[in-house]
Amino acid sequence: MASFLVWVGRFLFFGLVLTQCFLLASYPSKKSGLWYLTSLSYAPSLVAWTSLALSDNTKLGKLSYIWGLYTIGLVVSTIIVFATFVDNMDKGSLLGLKVTLCITPILLLLLLNTAKDGKEHKDLLSLLCFGMAVDLVDTIEMIDIVLDEVEKEHEYRIPKGFAYTMVAIACISFLLSPWQMLENDFQTGEPLPKRALWRYIVEIALVNFVFLIIRLVILIKYEKDESIFILKNLVAIILGIMGIRNLKTDIKISDLCCKRRF
C-alpha cells in the first residue's frame, strides 16, 4: 500500500510539473516567441527526475539536485512571463498565474515525501517540508504583491522598477530554496554545519531582511497591509540568528575535536 501511494505521488508530481510548465508557457505564447524557452527550462529537471524514478533511485540526496534544476526552470519561466506579458494580462489571466505559482509548494511536498529513503530521515524530512514550504509561500506572496498591483490597475501606485525588483528578489529566493536540502549529508544523516551557517547568513541578508524592508516600504509608503508576512520575516531573521549562534558553537567543537585527533 505504501509503495502504491509513493507511485501515485510520483505520477502526481510529474503531472503537476507538466501542468505548471505548459501554463507558464501559455502566457508568453500569446505575444512572444519566447514561450519555448519556458518548456525547455523545465526539461532538465523532468528528464533527470524521470530517470531516477524509473530506476527507483529517488533518494533525498539526489532529489535535492532535482529541486535545484526545477527552481532554475521556474525562475526562467517567471522572468519570461513578467518580461513579456504581465502588464497586459486581464484579471482572469492574473488569477491563473497566481494559481500556477501556488503549485510550487505542493510539488516540493510531493517530491520530498516520495523519496525512497524518506523513512530513514523522517525527522529531517518533516523539518524540510515545513521550512521550505513556508519560504516558498513567502516568496510567492512577494510576487503576488506585484500581480495584485496590476490586477487593481495600479491602485497602490507602486513604481514599475520597484515592482520588478521585488520579482527579482523573489527569484533569488527560489534559487536558494535547494540549499536547505544540500546542507545535509543524507548518507550519514548528519548536517553539514558550515554549509548551514552560510545558508543562514545568505538567507538573512538576501531574502528575509530584504523582504522585510520591501514589505515595510509597501506598508508605510504605499499603504498595503503586509503585516503578517512582515512578522514572518522578523521571526525568520531571529531564528536565523539563533541558528548561526548554535552552528558556530558546533563548528568550534568540531574543529577542537579534529585538532585533538592530530
Side-chain angles (χ1 to χ4, degrees):
M1 184 63 180
S3 178
F4 172 75
L5 291 176
V6 166
W7 277 104
V8 169
R10 289 173 180 173
F11 280 119
L12 188 56
F13 173 82
F14 185 82
L16 285 177
V17 172
L18 280 180
T19 300
Q20 188 181 59
C21 173
F22 288 131
L23 286 175
L24 289 174
S26 70
Y27 295 111
S29 68
K30 299 175 183 178
K31 294 195 175 183
S32 171
L34 294 176
W35 63 270
Y36 65 91
L37 289 178
T38 300
S39 301
L40 290 177
S41 66
Y42 274 77
S45 59
L46 273 174
V47 171
W49 179 86
T50 301
S51 176
L52 290 177
L54 292 176
S55 61
D56 198 23
N57 194 22
T58 54
K59 293 186 176 182
L60 283 170
K62 296 184 182 296
L63 292 182
S64 61
Y65 295 102
I66 300 297
W67 187 248
L69 290 172
Y70 163 79
T71 55
I72 292 173
L74 178 63
V75 166
V76 170
S77 302
T78 302
I79 291 172
I80 291 172
V81 171
F82 273 88
T84 61
F85 195 66
V86 163
D87 289 335
N88 300 313
M89 281 186 175
D90 56 34
K91 291 186 178 181
S93 296
L94 286 165
L95 177 61
L97 180 56
K98 293 178 184 181
V99 173
T100 301
L101 291 175
C102 287
I103 293 174
T104 302
I106 298 172
L107 289 174
L108 170 73
L109 297 177
L110 287 171
L111 184 71
L112 292 177
N113 285 283
T114 54
K116 185 178 181 180
D117 56 346
K119 290 183 178 180
E120 300 171 24
H121 306 288
K122 58 181 180 179
D123 293 334
L124 176 59
L125 190 63
S126 298
L127 291 173
L128 288 173
C129 286
F130 178 76
M132 293 176 70
V134 168
D135 286 345
L136 288 172
V137 171
D138 185 24
T139 303
I140 293 168
E141 199 278 338
M142 178 63 68
I143 295 175
D144 183 60
I145 297 173
V146 180
L147 296 176
D148 196 40
E149 174 72 352
V150 176
E151 184 178 8
K152 294 182 178 178
E153 298 178 353
H154 304 282
E155 176 184 338
Y156 301 104
R157 298 181 181 179
I158 299 173
K160 189 174 181 179
F162 187 60
Y164 279 9
T165 299
M166 292 162 63
V167 175
I169 298 298
C171 288
I172 292 173
S173 180
F174 278 138
L175 292 174
L176 291 176
S177 176
W179 202 341
Q180 292 189 49
M181 297 176 70
L182 292 170
E183 70 185 37
N184 300 283
D185 186 342
F186 291 107
Q187 291 185 344
T188 62
E190 296 294 326
L192 302 170
K194 290 184 179 180
R195 286 190 189 181
L197 177 64
W198 280 109
R199 198 261 301 174
Y200 275 126
I201 293 172
V202 172
E203 267 200 354
I204 290 174
L206 295 183
V207 179
N208 284 301
F209 181 73
V210 178
F211 276 18
L212 176 63
I213 297 301
I214 288 174
R215 286 187 167 115
L216 284 172
V217 172
I218 295 293
L219 176 65
I220 296 169
K221 186 174 182 179
Y222 301 109
E223 298 180 349
K224 185 179 189 306
D225 186 15
E226 286 291 311
S227 54
I228 293 176
F229 283 91
I230 287 173
L231 176 61
K232 182 271 173 188
N233 293 138
L234 276 172
V235 171
I237 291 171
I238 293 169
L239 291 176
I241 293 171
M242 293 171 61
I244 290 171
R245 182 192 63 187
N246 295 334
L247 285 168
K248 280 186 175 180
T249 303
D250 292 341
I251 291 171
K252 287 180 181 179
I253 293 173
S254 177
D255 290 342
L256 182 61
C257 290
C258 289
K259 288 179 181 178
R260 287 182 177 179
R261 286 177 185 175
F262 291 102

